[in-house]
Amino acid sequence: MTQARAPGARAVAQYPVPVVPAGKIAVPELSDSAIDRPRLRAALEVAAGRPVTAVCAPAGYGKTFLLATWAQLDTRPVAWVSLDRDDNDPSRLWSALLASLRAAGAVRPGQPLWSLTAPRAMAVGPDFVTAVINGLSEPGPPVRLVLDNADEPADPAALCGLERLLRNQPPRLRLVLAFRREPPLSLYRLRVAGRLSELRTDALRFTPDEARGLLARHATTLGADELALLMERTEGWPAGLRLAAMAVQGAPDPGAVISGFGGDDRAVADYLAGEVLSRQTSQSREFLETTSVCELLCGDLAAALSGRDDAAVMLDGLHRANALIDRPAPHSLWYRCHGLLRGHLRAELGRHRPGAVAPLHLRAAQWFAEHNQPLEALDHAVAARDFSCVAALLERHAVTLVASGQGAAVRRVLDALPATAARVDPRLALVSAYASLDAGDAETCDHHLTHCAAAPLGPVPGARSGPDGPPRALGLAVRLDRARLRGDPSEALAAADELSDPVGEQPGATALMLASRGSARLEAGRRKEGGADLESALAIARRYGLDGLVLSCLSGLATVATAECDFTRAQDIGRGAVDFAASHGWAATSRCAPAYTAQAWAACQALECGAARRLSELALNTAPPGGPADLFWARTVHAVTLFDRGERREGLDLALLAKRSCEACPVAPELRALAAGAELGLALALAQHACAAGALEAVRVQLGDLAEVALMEARLLAARHRDEAALRALRPVLGGTAAALLTTTLVDAWLLEADLAASHGEELRAEQGLREALAAATPSRVIRPFHTAGPRLRALMNVALPRLGSQEPFAREVLRALEPVRRADLADPLTPREADLLRLLPSLQTLDEIASETFISVNTLKTHLRSIYRKLGVSRRRQAVAAGRDQGLL
C-alpha cells in the first residue's frame, strides 16, 4: 500500500531547506549561579495541563530560566524554539518548529513530519500548516513545544500560521508561550474557552526566601532588615536581585551597598538601557523621563507633565508592552513605574535636562493641588524648592491632614524645609507648632510658637485665612492643647471658652476646635458639655473623612462613658475605636491609649481579669509620655490589674507613681475620684493605713467635700475598726446630702453599710444594705464592688438570694462572676475577726504593728493566727496568704 502524503507535502520538496542554528532549538544551558524555584516549576506543571500556557512578564523576570529548568527536568519530549525577529520569515519560523520537534523525539523517522520541509515564505500557506497539524495528530507521545520570545514575530504571514496552529491544536501537543508583551495572537479566545493557563509578573517575583537563596549562591548573607530593604528596592524583580547579589558579593559592608542600590547603579542602568529602554522609541523614552518625577501616573497627570495629548494612550501602550510599567490594581486608571527603572529615568532626566526637574515637580504640585491631593502636592512643592507654595498648601490643608491621621507626613514635609522657613513665615511657624503638638512634642511646639509674632491668639501677621485653617482658630486650638499638656487647667479652660461655637468655619478647623474644647471641658469636670463637643466633632470628622480625629473623638467618648460609670458603653466605644484604628494601622499609636484604658477598666469592673490585664498593658504601652492625663489613668488601671493578679505591692507602687506624676495635671474629676478610690482600696488591702490616709487627704484637697471623699473616709475608719465613726461618715452619702460624681458611689457605700451591719450581727440591716447596693449597681452592671467587699458580703448574698425578688437575676449574675474568684469554701469558715486579720497578713507589718493597729494584744493575735492557720491547713504566715488568695478570701 502506498502511504498517503500529507496535504502540501509534494509542493514542499522543490524548495531548499533553511538552515536552523542548533542553539535556536536547544534548551538553554543553566548558569551555575542560578537558583531553582520549585514553586514556579510546580505551578508551571499544573498550568501545562491545559492546551496552551502563557508565561508573560517584563524583561529580567526569569521566564527563560524557568522554562529551561522545567524542560530539562521533564522526562517527556520538550521541543524548544527561541524566536527572534528573523522569524518574521514564515519559512525560517516553520523550519525551526519542525527541527525542534524532530530534535525532541516528538517525530520519528518514517512519519510524514520527519521529511516535511517548510517552503519559502511566499508559499507557506494553509496547506502546509494543515500538514504539520495532521502530522502531529498521528499517534505518538505527548509533546510540549516551548516558544520563547513568542512576541518577536510580528509579520502577518508568520502570525497567520501560528493562529491556525492554535485554532486546530492537536491533542498531544501542549504549547508553552513566553513573551514580554502580549503577542498579536488571539489568546483571548483561548482564555474564554478555558484552554489557556497563565503565569504573569506577580507570580514570577522572587519571595524573600528565594532572594535569600540567590544571595547564598553569591556567598552573601543579609540581615532581616537589609533583606527587607532589598526586596523593597527591587520589588522582587529577579534581574534586579541578581545584579544586587553581584554588587554585594565580597563587599565589606553589604548593608551599605544595599542602602545605595538603585536605578543609577551602573550595572542596573546598563541592563535597563539595553533590555528595556532600547526597545522603546525616542519619544517613549523622553515621555518616561519627563513623567519620572511622579511615582504614580494617570493619563491626565502624564499629559500635564509631558504636554502630550496622547499621554494616556502612551501609558497604556507601555503597560501592554511590559516595559516595567504596571497598574497598582486591576482596571485602575493609574500606572506605576518600577522603582529601579524610575530611579534610572530620574537620573537620566537630571543628566539630560537638569533645568527641567524643578518646573516638572512644580507642575505636578499644581496638578495634585487642583485634584485635592494635598500630601502629594506638598511633596512635589518641597522637591521643587518652592517654599511659598509649600506654605500656602500647609496653611490650606495642614489641619485637615493632621486630623485625618497624616500628622507624620506633615511633619516630614516641615522637616524638609530650611530651618529658617518657620522663622520668616508665621503661617509655617503656627502649622509647625500644631504638628509638633500632635506628636506630643511640647518642647518643639513652644519653639515654633515663639516665631508666631504675637501669641497665637489673634490673626497671624501676614497670613490669610485658608478654608481649613483660619489662623485665629488654629492658634486658639494650639494654645488650648498646649495648656493641657503643660498641666494648666485654668489656661486650657480659658482657651476652650474662647473657642465659641464656630460659624462658617471649614470642616477641619471646626472639628479640631470642637474636639480640643471637648477634651478641655471633660478634664475641667464639665462632662456633659465636653461629651457634646466630642460627639459634634465626631460627626463632622466622620462626614469629611478626618480619620485621625475620628479615632481621637472615639477614644475621648470612651473616657466620657467611663466617667459616667457606663462601663458597657465604654467597652463598646473603646472596642469600636480600636477596630477603627486597626483598620488604619494605628492600633499601636497614642490615640488608642484612652480606648484601651476604657476597655481595661470596664473589664476590671466585670472581673474579666485576663482581658483587663491585656488591655491595660496595651494602654500603658501606647499612652503618650507628653499626655499626662492619659498616662495617669492608664497607670492607675494597670495598677489595679497588677493587684488582681497577685502583684499587690507593685500595683500600689504604680498607683502612687500615677498620682505623683499627675498631681497638678488637668484630669477629669470623675477619673480622679475613681483613681483615688482604687488607690485607697489597694492600700487598705495591704494594711497600709498611713498610705490610705494620704490618698484621702490628697483627694479631699482636689475634690472637696464630695460623696466620694466621705466614702473613702468611711472605708478608712472601718478598716481601723472605728465602726461608729465610719457609719457617721456614710450618712451624708446614703442620705443623698453629699453630692456624688460617680453613679457607682452608692454601690460601694451601701455595701460598706451592709458589711458593717453584718459584722455586728444586724442581719436585717445588712440585707437591706445589700438590696440597696444591688439596686444601685444594676443599671451599670458593675460587679467588682461585690468582690472587693469581701467574703462576708458574698455569704450574705447567698443566704438572701431567695428573698431578693426582682433583684435576684442580677444577684445570680454577680455570684457567677465571683465564683471563679472564690475557688472553694472552707469546711470551718473563718470568723469575721479572723477574716479581718487574714486581710492584714499580706502587709509588711510585724505582729506587734498588726496588734497595735487592731487594738489587741500580741498573745491574742497569735491565738487568732493559730486558728486561721488550722482552718486553712497551713503552718506559716506566707502560706496563709497564699491559701487565702487561692480560696478567694483575700
Side-chain angles (χ1 to χ4, degrees):
M1 177 181 289
T2 304
Q3 186 174 355
R5 284 184 177 275
R10 184 184 302 278
V12 169
Q14 58 184 304
Y15 299 109
V17 179
V19 177
V20 178
K24 186 178 183 67
I25 59 172
V27 177
E29 294 293 329
L30 301 178
S31 167
D32 291 339
S33 62
I35 177 173
D36 184 23
R37 303 170 75 187
R39 69 173 179 90
L40 285 183
R41 282 194 291 103
L44 186 58
E45 186 64 34
V46 172
R50 288 185 175 173
V52 181
T53 300
V55 181
C56 180
Y61 268 89
K63 302 180 293 298
T64 299
F65 173 77
L66 168 64
L67 293 174
T69 307
W70 174 70
Q72 290 189 0
L73 295 176
D74 200 343
T75 57
R76 292 161 292 188
V78 177
W80 183 287
V81 182
S82 297
L83 298 176
D84 52 41
R85 292 178 183 178
D86 289 343
D87 293 306
N88 280 301
D89 178 350
S91 180
R92 290 183 179 277
L93 171 64
W94 287 100
S95 294
L97 289 178
L98 290 172
S100 71
L101 291 169
R102 287 192 288 266
V107 179
R108 295 189 296 271
Q111 291 182 321
L113 285 185
W114 184 262
S115 57
L116 185 65
T117 57
R120 63 187 179 187
M122 60 183 294
V124 176
D127 287 347
F128 171 79
V129 179
T130 300
V132 175
I133 293 170
N134 288 346
L136 287 171
S137 298
E138 292 188 359
V143 59
R144 300 181 176 190
L145 174 58
V146 177
L147 300 182
D148 196 17
N149 301 321
D151 50 331
E152 285 290 357
D155 186 86
L159 294 171
C160 183
L162 291 175
E163 283 279 12
R164 184 176 292 274
L165 179 61
L166 287 171
R167 286 198 305 272
N168 303 281
Q169 188 173 340
R172 73 184 180 107
L173 178 66
R174 291 290 182 268
L175 276 171
V176 181
L177 311 176
F179 44 85
R180 294 184 182 183
R181 58 184 179 275
E182 291 281 350
L185 297 171
S186 303
L187 296 182
Y188 63 90
R189 292 178 178 173
L190 300 172
R191 192 178 290 120
V192 171
R195 299 179 63 233
L196 177 69
S197 294
E198 299 177 83
L199 286 179
R200 292 194 172 264
T201 305
D202 283 343
L204 269 63
R205 296 185 197 278
F206 263 57
T207 66
D209 284 342
E210 289 169 342
R212 198 176 286 110
L214 175 63
L215 290 163
R217 289 291 184 94
H218 290 77
T220 301
T221 302
L222 295 181
D225 292 343
E226 293 166 341
L227 180 63
L229 177 60
L230 179 60
M231 294 301 293
E232 180 185 343
R233 292 280 175 85
T234 61
E235 301 174 29
W237 182 37
L241 282 164
R242 182 176 293 280
L243 293 170
M246 294 167 61
V248 299
Q249 187 172 14
D253 187 357
V257 176
I258 296 301
S259 297
F261 186 75
D264 54 350
D265 180 89
R266 179 61 182 270
V268 175
D270 288 346
Y271 185 91
L272 292 170
E275 292 293 328
V276 179
L277 296 175
S278 66
R279 295 171 176 264
Q280 307 303 323
T281 66
S282 59
Q283 286 185 333
S284 294
R285 289 196 295 272
E286 181 180 353
F287 174 79
L288 285 169
E289 282 186 13
T290 300
T291 56
S292 66
V293 296
C294 290
E295 182 176 0
L296 290 173
L297 290 164
C298 65
D300 192 37
L301 173 57
L305 292 170
S306 66
R308 298 183 64 104
D309 294 335
D310 63 345
V313 175
M314 290 195 72
L315 275 175
D316 190 59
L318 289 164
H319 168 63
R320 291 179 180 276
N322 263 343
L324 291 177
I325 305 294
D326 204 358
R327 285 192 175 111
H331 313 298
S332 170
L333 296 177
W334 289 85
Y335 297 83
R336 181 183 176 278
C337 183
H338 190 285
L340 290 178
L341 176 59
R342 181 170 170 247
H344 172 68
L345 291 167
R346 286 200 311 254
E348 290 295 289
L349 176 65
R351 280 192 289 269
H352 297 157
R353 292 178 286 157
V357 176
L360 284 171
H361 275 298
L362 188 57
R363 207 177 297 172
Q366 292 164 346
W367 189 92
F368 281 115
E370 290 168 4
H371 290 78
N372 197 31
Q373 297 184 55
L375 270 182
E376 291 81 0
L378 282 163
D379 285 338
H380 285 287
V382 170
R385 309 294 289 174
D386 191 324
F387 302 128
S388 176
C389 179
V390 173
L393 287 167
L394 285 172
E395 181 193 12
R396 184 178 183 86
H397 298 292
V399 172
T400 298
L401 286 171
V402 175
S404 301
Q406 301 291 340
V410 171
R411 291 190 292 277
R412 186 189 70 237
V413 169
L414 290 165
D415 289 343
L417 297 178
T420 58
R423 291 204 295 270
V424 299
D425 191 330
R427 295 174 299 172
L428 285 180
L430 186 54
V431 167
S432 299
Y434 172 50
S436 301
L437 202 57
D438 175 70
D441 187 351
E443 183 178 347
T444 304
C445 172
D446 290 342
H447 169 74
H448 288 302
L449 287 178
T450 62
H451 299 299
C452 287
L457 292 172
V460 177
R464 51 186 199 282
S465 176
D468 281 333
R472 175 175 172 76
L474 181 57
L476 284 169
V478 170
R479 170 187 159 188
L480 187 157
D481 287 337
R482 180 65 191 96
R484 290 176 57 221
L485 273 183
R486 197 166 45 236
D488 188 342
S490 59
E491 171 73 6
L493 195 57
D497 289 337
E498 198 168 340
L499 280 171
S500 58
D501 289 337
V503 178
E505 302 289 3
Q506 289 297 315
T510 299
L512 171 67
M513 290 159 58
L514 287 169
S516 297
R517 191 175 71 181
S519 297
R521 285 176 168 174
L522 175 63
E523 290 169 358
R526 292 155 63 175
R527 188 179 66 221
K528 292 189 180 300
E529 292 175 285
D533 280 342
L534 288 170
E535 291 281 8
S536 299
L538 176 62
I540 297 170
R542 277 180 165 157
R543 181 178 178 184
Y544 291 96
L546 308 177
D547 290 348
L549 199 56
V550 167
L551 178 56
S552 295
C553 290
L554 285 172
S555 287
L557 288 169
T559 303
V560 171
T562 301
E564 292 172 344
C565 296
D566 190 343
F567 303 120
T568 300
R569 183 166 175 265
Q571 197 159 43
D572 289 344
I573 296 175
R575 189 179 295 116
V578 171
D579 290 345
F580 182 82
S583 70
H584 290 72
W586 298 337
T589 63
S590 59
R591 282 191 174 98
C592 256
Y596 287 129
T597 312
Q599 289 185 86
W601 187 249
C604 279
Q605 303 315 301
L607 293 184
E608 297 168 356
C609 298
R613 174 182 177 179
R614 176 179 59 82
L615 289 163
S616 71
E617 287 174 348
L618 286 168
L620 200 60
N621 290 335
T622 54
D630 291 342
L631 185 58
F632 161 76
W633 186 229
R635 281 173 170 167
T636 299
V637 175
H638 191 59
V640 174
T641 64
L642 284 174
F643 189 88
D644 283 352
R645 65 174 182 254
E647 299 176 47
R648 297 187 156 203
R649 185 71 247 181
E650 294 83 352
L652 179 57
D653 288 344
L654 184 58
L656 293 171
L657 172 64
K659 181 178 72 173
R660 285 195 305 271
S661 62
C662 199
E663 212 144 16
C665 294
V667 175
E670 294 87 352
L671 299 187
R672 185 78 75 181
L674 285 170
E679 180 192 340
L680 181 129
L682 302 185
L684 291 180
L686 290 172
Q688 300 290 312
H689 290 181
C691 179
L696 173 61
E697 292 309 312
V699 80
R700 195 192 302 276
V701 171
Q702 291 165 334
L703 300 182
D705 294 326
L706 292 173
E708 286 73 20
V709 177
L711 173 61
M712 289 175 62
E713 182 179 6
R715 291 173 64 188
L716 179 57
L717 289 168
R720 289 172 167 170
H721 302 287
R722 298 174 58 188
D723 294 356
E724 289 299 324
L727 288 171
R728 285 196 299 273
L730 271 182
R731 282 175 193 149
V733 182
L734 300 179
T737 57
L741 286 172
L742 307 169
T743 58
T744 55
T745 297
L746 273 180
V747 180
D748 291 304
W750 280 114
L751 284 173
L752 180 56
E753 157 79 3
D755 189 53
L756 289 171
S759 69
H760 290 279
E762 300 178 41
E763 295 180 3
L764 289 178
R765 188 162 69 90
E767 187 172 318
Q768 181 58 35
L770 177 62
R771 287 175 179 276
E772 296 286 356
L774 286 167
T778 299
S780 59
R781 318 300 291 181
V782 62
I783 294 173
R784 184 180 183 82
F786 296 89
H787 167 56
T788 56
R792 191 157 46 212
L793 263 294
R794 284 200 294 272
L796 175 63
M797 195 182 308
N798 272 308
V799 171
L801 196 60
R803 301 189 295 274
L804 293 178
S806 62
Q807 294 172 337
E808 182 182 347
F810 181 61
R812 290 189 180 280
E813 181 183 334
V814 170
L815 288 170
R816 280 195 301 272
L818 295 178
E819 187 64 28
V821 181
R822 187 174 59 83
R823 302 295 176 99
D825 291 321
L826 293 175
D828 186 4
L830 301 181
T831 66
R833 187 59 159 173
E834 289 168 348
D836 289 339
L837 290 174
L838 177 62
R839 284 195 283 271
L840 296 176
L841 294 185
S843 70
L844 300 178
Q845 291 176 302
T846 65
L847 293 185
D848 287 339
E849 289 170 335
I850 293 176
S852 175
E853 181 76 29
T854 54
F855 305 103
I856 60 176
S857 68
V858 174
N859 287 335
T860 302
L861 173 60
K862 289 179 178 179
T863 300
H864 284 306
L865 289 181
R866 283 193 292 272
S867 176
I868 292 171
Y869 294 169
R870 177 181 56 78
K871 292 178 179 181
L872 295 177
V874 298
S875 59
R876 293 191 178 92
R877 178 175 175 174
R878 179 173 297 178
Q879 294 171 337
V881 171
R885 287 174 179 165
D886 185 59
Q887 299 194 29
L889 300 173
L890 289 175

